[in-house]
Amino acid sequence: MLSLLSLRARIEAGSLTPSQAVALTRAAIAEHEPSVRALVTSDPDPVVPEMGPLAGIAVGIKDIIDTAHLPTQMGSSIYTGWQPRADAPIVARLKALGAVPIAKTTTTAFAFIDPTETCNPRAPGRTPGGSSSGSAAAVAAGMLPLALGTQTGGSVIRPAAYCGVVGVKPSFRLLPTVGVKCFSWTLDTLGLFAATAADAAHALALIAGRPEIERPVGAPRIGLLLPEFCDAAEPEALGALDHARVAAEAAGASIRAFSLPDLFKEAFDQHATIQDFESAQALAWEYTTHHETLPPFLRAHLDMAQSIDAAAYDAARRIAHHARRSLRDILRNADIDVILTLSAPGFAPQGYASTGDSRFNRLWTMMGVPCVTVPVPGEDAPLGVQVIAGFGHDARALSAATFLEQTLAERSRDYG
């Protein structure tokens, strides 16, 4: 995989120019894109700034995020060829840092669950996940050092786990969602995909203008959570979580069991009410004027969502608000830095009929807390574990993720 920090180190050392770095990316795209199909469109003649902290870094932009130089087509024929007049603020910020938004990456239609044609480069024959399918696959294939995704349920964390890359869902509102096609304004969150946790921390610190996010790595205090608010994981995922626990503990992390009260089962159950009520409004024009053009899963979802009333929505929001406040207090008093839990139920499902199950992601999206998927080394299809910190503690989540990533790599070398 292409590492953002490695490319930048070579540029700063003078052994690589930003233009040459982007040329490496373009060569990787030419080699892998025909089989991976992670990109919708790409810039045939990108402008490459020679200055800036992200100069030379080519970025994939999920195709629900506006770009003034490339069409934004939402994964839907309704928007074929649609060209925004302006960049979304997140894209403008990347350009200001010297990065090159070189391509639009595939997305399920309107970031729901109807699959794309993108293949999983790390697990042939298995889904790359969704909805940020192309961003996860492009980074996994070594085509891009950085890509943007979004998460409303599990659309960053899950595909990152399925494709064996690092995915970051930052704290809610840390990155602007203006210029991003809305599905649920309460839940939609911009996220990043990168080769390593250190790459992701560096990128997020720069993009958010918060250098404190990229802080020194130390052995964290970890609360190990086996969720009781949803169906259990498959044995392989539980094995990966235990492998991560053993590695972290051996490297000096303190680990203890962690659980959540029944309130969080109630909050987990309300995610769908909030998402569905808001999506019916966010996609009202498409539903009314292009109903038969919508893909089948999304069309059925919006048909059902019409029946959710405001009273149910308001009740769900009150429960979510209560849970967010309770989680803040629980984490403040729990004597832990981060939660370590599952990223996905197991291996990416075989075939391309489904993008997988987001049940280990939805609660944390609703809570608005930072989450990071860390790949767990293995010989089979990729698996990941999820590191979670309290709201606003993105530095803590990424520091712990980097510690875990390094620890797993060292253990893999020792026992490889």
Side-chain angles (χ1 to χ4, degrees):
M1 288 187 282
L2 288 172
S3 166
L4 183 154
L5 285 173
S6 293
L7 288 171
R8 284 298 307 162
R10 292 172 64 186
I11 290 167
E12 290 169 11
S15 62
L16 190 71
T17 67
S19 293
Q20 289 169 337
V22 173
L24 289 175
T25 301
R26 296 183 68 191
I29 289 172
E31 179 181 357
H32 297 294
E33 172 58 14
S35 60
V36 178
R37 301 197 295 275
L39 308 183
V40 182
T41 55
S42 59
D43 190 343
D45 188 23
V47 175
V48 182
E50 296 300 310
M51 300 293 292
L54 287 179
I57 301 303
V59 186
I61 310 295
K62 184 176 180 178
D63 200 27
I64 60 166
I65 302 171
D66 284 350
T67 46
H69 67 299
L70 292 170
T72 300
Q73 301 177 101
M74 319 291 183
S76 169
S77 61
I78 297 169
Y79 286 92
T80 297
W82 185 67
Q83 182 65 64
R85 292 284 299 274
D87 288 328
I90 188 69
V91 176
R93 176 62 178 165
L94 285 165
K95 288 182 176 179
L97 293 165
V100 179
I102 199 168
K104 301 303 285 287
T105 58
T106 60
T107 175
T108 62
F110 303 105
F112 194 55
I113 62 172
D114 295 270
T116 70
E117 294 184 353
T118 303
C119 299
N120 187 330
R122 299 286 306 282
R126 295 180 183 269
T127 178
S131 60
S132 306
S133 313
S135 290
V139 172
M143 294 160 58
L144 295 169
L146 183 67
L148 296 184
T150 62
Q151 178 159 310
T152 305
S155 294
V156 170
I157 297 300
R158 186 175 79 262
Y162 286 169
C163 290
V165 299
V166 170
V168 180
K169 184 202 75 67
S171 292
F172 188 63
R173 296 188 301 272
L174 183 68
L175 300 179
T177 56
V178 178
V180 181
K181 181 63 173 177
C182 179
F183 197 85
S184 166
W185 55 88
T186 296
L187 301 169
D188 292 351
T189 312
L190 273 166
L192 308 176
F193 296 88
T196 71
D199 287 344
H202 186 68
L204 184 60
L206 288 170
I207 294 167
R210 298 172 184 265
E212 66 274 13
I213 285 175
E214 191 180 16
R215 75 179 197 182
V217 175
R221 300 170 300 165
I222 295 172
L224 185 69
L225 175 67
L226 291 175
E228 298 178 352
F229 49 77
C230 61
D231 292 342
E234 296 163 17
E236 295 84 2
L238 294 171
L241 182 62
D242 192 60
H243 182 70
R245 175 194 64 80
V246 170
E249 201 162 37
S254 65
I255 300 181
R256 66 177 185 82
F258 182 81
S259 61
L260 291 169
D262 291 344
L263 167 64
F264 292 89
K265 171 67 167 71
E266 190 177 2
F268 171 83
D269 291 340
Q270 296 305 317
H271 177 280
T273 300
I274 294 171
Q275 174 188 266
D276 298 354
F277 182 86
E278 293 183 354
S279 64
Q281 296 186 46
L283 296 176
W285 179 82
E286 290 84 358
Y287 181 78
T288 300
T289 61
H290 294 278
H291 182 269
E292 296 309 311
T293 306
L294 297 172
F297 291 156
L298 178 59
R299 185 168 62 245
H301 163 82
L302 292 175
D303 286 343
M304 176 276 301
Q306 308 305 310
S307 64
I308 300 173
D309 62 26
Y313 170 67
D314 290 344
R317 287 198 303 160
R318 284 192 293 271
I319 292 168
H321 178 68
H322 184 198
R324 281 192 288 269
R325 292 175 62 90
S326 296
L327 184 62
R328 178 196 63 191
D329 295 339
I330 289 168
L331 292 176
R332 182 183 295 160
N333 298 319
D335 200 32
I336 61 172
D337 298 312
V338 295
I339 296 168
L340 179 63
T341 189
L342 300 147
S343 291
F347 295 133
Q350 289 279 3
Y352 296 93
S354 162
T355 59
D357 189 318
S358 65
R359 66 178 181 268
F360 294 121
N361 316 124
R362 295 195 292 268
L363 176 67
W364 311 115
T365 306
M366 180 189 285
M367 295 300 98
V369 294
C371 307
V372 186
T373 280
V374 178
V376 177
E379 296 181 357
D380 212 318
L383 292 165
V385 292
Q386 186 173 194
V387 176
I388 299 164
F391 178 80
H393 292 290
D394 298 74
R396 190 176 292 176
L398 281 156
S399 174
T402 302
F403 168 85
L404 184 59
E405 179 181 74
Q406 293 172 353
T407 298
L408 286 166
E410 290 167 5
R411 190 173 182 86
S412 180
R413 285 194 295 269
D414 289 343
Y415 293 93

